[in-house]
Amino acid sequence: MDFETILYQKDGGKARITLNRPEKLNALSMKLQRELNAALWEADNDAAVHVIILRGEGRAFCAGYDLTPMQSPPPKRDTAAADENYSAVYRGMSTLDDDVWQLERQQRERMAIWDIHKPVIAQVHGYCLAGGTDLALLCDIIIAADDSVFGFPPVRAMGSPPAHMWTYLVGPQWAKYMLLTGDSISGAQAADIGLILKSVPPDSLEAEVEALASKMERIDVELLSPNKRIVNLAMELMGARTMQRMAAENDGRAHLAPAVREFGKIAMTQGLKAALEWRDGQFGDSRGSDDYKERRAEQEARLRHS
């Protein structure tokens, strides 16, 4: 299959799907989500594939959803492309039902990770933020670089996660901490709290993932499938599937907050960079700020000497 925003490669029993928008830190456009969905089902339908590796090209796994449409002039309501609807809510142009419909539409593309029969390993490096976590946390196993960055900063001024695996993976205390502060944690910290399986030094990440995938490659796919499915069914009995739809509706509700409109106004009039600075600057998390750079440098130094 030919794709524009992802790379699809097969090697024996492994399929590698690489998010391929490095210039945007692999931000999730609607096209990327559709192509990812198609690639996942292609791999699932291939009897030779036993395991799928999901990773990102360039400096990050995925830094979130593509917000650049927010900076363009508002389209006319009757001629707007459906893909613009994601940002329309920030311009005060979308009803709650319109918004939830679009959030659920995007969610259906991502849920292929959960629904396909083959196991999916997320190989995370660099940023795994916002929409990046919506992808990674649906994967069966996540392995990350020690210095990777996990978080959902948009909870500060843009809404609520339109997917929710946080409580299932780390419990209510850590889930609330992450979603009530918008703070980010390192891959090493994510492993400590159980958000991911493990973290490794950045230069060992690919080898670690390949070794795990090679183990699964040796197992009959007719055994991999039921053993993935029974765990997912157990989580569905705990409400995990219903929770995803509830998360989309909850995000739509959160989009009604005044802060969300203010973020959209700043993005549209002053640009996305200014809006992100307004959102994160007061927390010292603006990626260009001295506080953020110093904190990241200290964190990486601790990891090197741990």
Side-chain angles (χ1 to χ4, degrees):
M1 299 179 70
D2 293 327
F3 299 108
E4 295 180 20
T5 62
I6 67 168
L7 301 174
Y8 183 82
Q9 302 166 312
K10 276 181 54 182
D11 177 16
K14 302 171 188 172
R16 298 185 185 89
I17 300 175
T18 307
L19 309 181
N20 191 33
R21 301 185 75 209
E23 74 287 353
K24 295 284 190 179
L25 297 179
N26 298 316
L28 300 177
S29 64
M30 196 63 218
K31 175 178 280 189
L32 187 153
Q33 293 178 79
R34 288 194 188 107
E35 292 190 346
L36 174 60
N37 178 283
L40 287 163
W41 285 111
E42 170 69 17
D44 205 43
N45 191 46
D46 189 334
V49 172
H50 287 222
V51 58
I52 300 161
I53 298 171
L54 180 61
R55 59 190 185 180
E57 183 69 21
R59 297 186 294 117
F61 174 75
C62 176
Y65 293 101
D66 190 355
L67 301 177
T68 51
M70 294 181 64
Q71 300 182 98
S72 59
K76 292 182 180 179
R77 193 177 182 89
D78 59 348
T79 60
D83 289 356
E84 293 285 349
N85 192 281
Y86 180 78
S87 60
V89 64
Y90 298 107
R91 300 170 177 146
M93 297 172 54
S94 177
T95 67
L96 175 60
D97 190 64
D98 288 341
D99 188 23
V100 172
W101 191 93
Q102 293 293 340
L103 291 166
E104 289 181 340
R105 180 174 71 116
Q106 295 190 58
Q107 186 181 91
R108 286 193 294 272
E109 305 290 354
R110 297 189 303 271
M111 287 302 291
I113 298 171
W114 180 273
D115 289 331
I116 63 173
H117 290 219
K118 311 290 175 66
V120 183
I121 303 170
Q123 177 180 318
V124 175
H125 75 290
Y127 293 116
C128 182
L129 299 175
T133 66
D134 289 340
L135 287 184
L137 300 187
L138 283 171
C139 292
D140 301 294
I141 292 177
I142 307 168
I143 298 179
D146 288 334
D147 60 357
S148 57
V149 182
F150 288 83
F152 211 100
V155 297
R156 294 169 175 168
M158 296 178 68
S160 179
H164 188 88
M165 292 298 294
W166 299 87
T167 302
Y168 293 97
L169 296 174
V170 297
Q173 290 288 308
W174 271 104
K176 287 179 180 178
Y177 173 77
M178 298 297 291
L179 302 186
L180 295 177
T181 66
D183 282 357
S184 297
I185 59 175
S186 70
Q189 291 170 306
D192 285 344
I193 66 173
L195 186 66
I196 66 175
L197 178 70
K198 69 188 300 186
S199 74
V200 296
D203 57 3
S204 301
L205 177 60
E206 184 172 356
E208 189 75 26
V209 171
E210 290 293 330
L212 176 58
S214 292
K215 287 184 180 180
M216 295 182 185
E217 187 180 19
R218 299 186 189 104
I219 297 174
D220 190 328
V221 73
E222 299 291 337
L223 293 173
L224 292 171
S225 173
N227 286 317
K228 167 176 175 168
R229 183 148 299 229
I230 194 63
V231 177
N232 282 8
L233 286 172
M235 293 182 70
E236 288 187 18
L237 288 173
M238 292 185 276
R241 184 76 186 219
T242 303
M243 181 57 66
Q244 305 319 302
R245 187 160 187 174
M246 291 175 68
E249 293 191 6
N250 192 61
D251 190 23
R253 172 176 173 263
H255 287 166
L256 300 176
V260 175
R261 305 292 185 186
E262 183 64 20
F263 181 94
K265 179 181 177 181
I266 295 170
M268 191 165 52
T269 58
Q270 302 176 42
L272 187 54
K273 184 176 181 181
L276 292 171
E277 179 62 36
W278 174 81
R279 185 191 76 185
D280 298 327
Q282 61 185 312
F283 296 94
D285 281 357
S286 177
R287 293 176 198 169
S289 71
D290 291 338
D291 286 347
Y292 182 75
K293 291 176 181 177
E294 289 175 8
R295 192 159 63 252
R296 291 293 297 154
E298 290 173 1
Q299 187 178 69
E300 289 170 12
R302 286 198 300 271
L303 290 170
R304 283 195 297 271
H305 293 95
S306 62

